[in-house]
Amino acid sequence: LPLGCVAPPPDSGQESVVASLEAASLPPPPAKSPGWVGMSIGVISGAAMASDGTWTCWGNEEAGNTTCPEGVYPELSMGTVHGCALDAAGEVTCWGCDDPDNYYYDLCVGQTDPPPGPFVSISAGQSQTCALDAAGALTCWGGLALPALQAPTTGTYTKVAVGGFGCALNTDHEIVCWGSRNDEGQMWHP
């Protein structure tokens, strides 16, 4: 069974479903590690950090974001069709968004072109990535061609999280969000 799936009881009549799942041509699982120490999960892919600081990516290979960069990265964040990693010097490396035939390709608008750092924190989302520098300034890239995704350009922040929209926690302990039509109440933060 695929990871996370539980087989139904033998008398449930779903044996054919289980057999179909087992016969599906799924990519092989990533190599096992003696112990993972970090992870990031996007929409169609994920990444896990080994104790030596290297990463293993897995998931939908069509978008090109299942090939983690080589090297040691203290922080990595997976978005929908891209991923970005932050190295020890605070520079960002991004990858993915390289298959125009992929269903999610229309979300690719500059996600793999990060600005120069240094940064101390990073978050990749659906169509943008945001990072914080040591002074708390917020910098975002990708998806900015859409006015609704414009992140705040002023203020000082301590945390940032980006998904289909983005939010940052400022130094006054207030949440500031951007990039949503609020069709599901995303902008009604506490």
Side-chain angles (χ1 to χ4, degrees):
L1 287 175
L3 184 63
C5 293
V6 177
D11 61 345
S12 70
Q14 295 184 8
E15 291 84 7
S16 62
V17 172
V18 172
S20 296
L21 286 173
E22 289 173 344
S25 58
L26 298 174
K32 300 296 180 194
S33 167
W36 300 108
V37 296
M39 68 177 179
S40 178
I41 303 301
V43 174
I44 59 175
S45 58
M49 183 171 71
S51 59
D52 65 358
T54 60
W55 290 81
T56 298
C57 295
W58 71 91
N60 182 329
E61 295 177 3
E62 291 178 25
N65 63 341
T66 58
T67 304
C68 286
E70 292 184 17
V72 174
Y73 294 90
E75 189 173 344
L76 184 145
S77 184
M78 299 299 284
T80 300
V81 290
H82 74 290
C84 292
L86 187 63
D87 69 20
E91 296 301 321
V92 177
T93 298
C94 297
W95 67 97
C97 279
D98 61 359
D99 182 0
D101 294 326
N102 183 282
Y103 174 78
Y104 296 99
Y105 189 76
D106 62 337
L107 298 174
C108 296
V109 184
Q111 286 93 327
T112 58
D113 300 319
F119 299 106
V120 297
S121 179
I122 191 166
S123 180
Q126 180 178 10
S127 61
Q128 66 178 329
T129 298
C130 295
L132 293 175
D133 67 17
L138 179 65
T139 300
C140 298
W141 62 94
L144 295 176
L146 305 172
L149 295 180
Q150 290 288 345
T153 56
T154 61
T156 306
Y157 300 91
T158 59
K159 300 209 179 287
V160 62
V162 182
F165 63 103
C167 293
L169 182 65
N170 69 20
T171 53
D172 292 328
H173 307 284
E174 298 168 329
I175 297 172
V176 177
C177 297
W178 65 93
S180 172
R181 297 181 308 237
N182 201 36
D183 54 343
E184 301 292 332
Q186 303 93 311
M187 304 300 281
W188 297 333
H189 54 77

